[in-house]
Amino acid sequence: MESHFSPPPQRRLFLTTVLGGIAAVVSAAAGYPLWQYLSPRRAEDQEQKVAIPRGQIAVGEAHFFDFRGRPAVVLQSAPGSFAAFSAVCTHLGCIVKWMPQEGEFLCPCHAGRFSSRGEVLGGPPPKPLEELPVTLSGDQVLVG
């Protein structure tokens, strides 16, 4: 005589519920970062300004910083004249470097060159660097 053992219905229901719960938790843990990446930024993140002390930005020098999760740069081309740009090259997204001797930005990936106003001077970049709004407040440079 063959006997087929089958667990009691309560045990089967319990195991199904527990395994389903574990699968739901693992799916939520894996899906949350993807959801955060794909969802639009919150309004308060978009309105956020970055304050940089004027003393950190010498004349003819550039100061790199993080702006809304992306690299940015503020430049003081003449005393009291500030300009800010995204530091991401418009060609393939590399981070530009400031070349103080030449007075221009250089993309190290494909030799794209940008002026101190963010305009394309040469190389493969299709458009200028994204300009960011700059205001002065006392001894602070506000970007954003």
Side-chain angles (χ1 to χ4, degrees), residues 119-144:
E119 300 162 338
V120 178
L121 296 175
K127 55 186 180 178
L129 293 173
E130 177 189 352
E131 190 168 1
L132 304 173
V134 176
T135 55
L136 301 176
S137 176
D139 65 339
Q140 299 285 317
V141 177
L142 302 175
V143 179

Side-chain angles (χ1 to χ4, degrees), residues 2-142:
E2 280 186 43
S3 91
H4 294 289
F5 175 76
S6 65
Q10 298 88 2
R11 185 181 297 173
R12 187 175 297 151
L13 177 63
F14 174 75
L15 289 175
T16 303
T17 304
V18 168
L19 291 176
I22 290 172
V25 168
V26 168
S27 297
Y32 181 74
L34 181 64
W35 174 262
Q36 286 293 90
Y37 177 75
L38 294 175
S39 64
R41 294 207 181 257
R42 295 185 300 266
E44 64 258 17
D45 289 346
Q46 296 297 329
E47 296 173 9
Q48 195 174 49
K49 292 187 179 197
V50 175
I52 302 166
R54 280 180 151 182
Q56 287 187 359
I57 310 162
V59 176
E61 293 295 322
H63 175 75
F64 288 82
F65 62 99
D66 187 50
F67 181 71
R68 297 181 185 158
R70 300 186 68 197
V73 60
V74 64
L75 174 69
Q76 184 175 192
S77 54
S81 175
F82 295 92
F85 306 97
S86 168
V88 178
C89 179
T90 57
H91 177 230
L92 290 178
C94 296
I95 308 304
V96 297
K97 299 184 329 184
W98 173 246
M99 309 298 287
Q101 296 82 10
E102 292 84 9
E104 61 187 43
F105 293 100
L106 173 70
C107 177
C109 295
H110 297 104
R113 295 175 33 238
F114 300 92
S115 73
S116 61
R117 294 182 307 276
E119 300 162 338
V120 178
L121 296 175
K127 55 186 180 178
L129 293 173
E130 177 189 352
E131 190 168 1
L132 304 173
V134 176
T135 55
L136 301 176
S137 176
D139 65 339
Q140 299 285 317
V141 177
L142 302 175

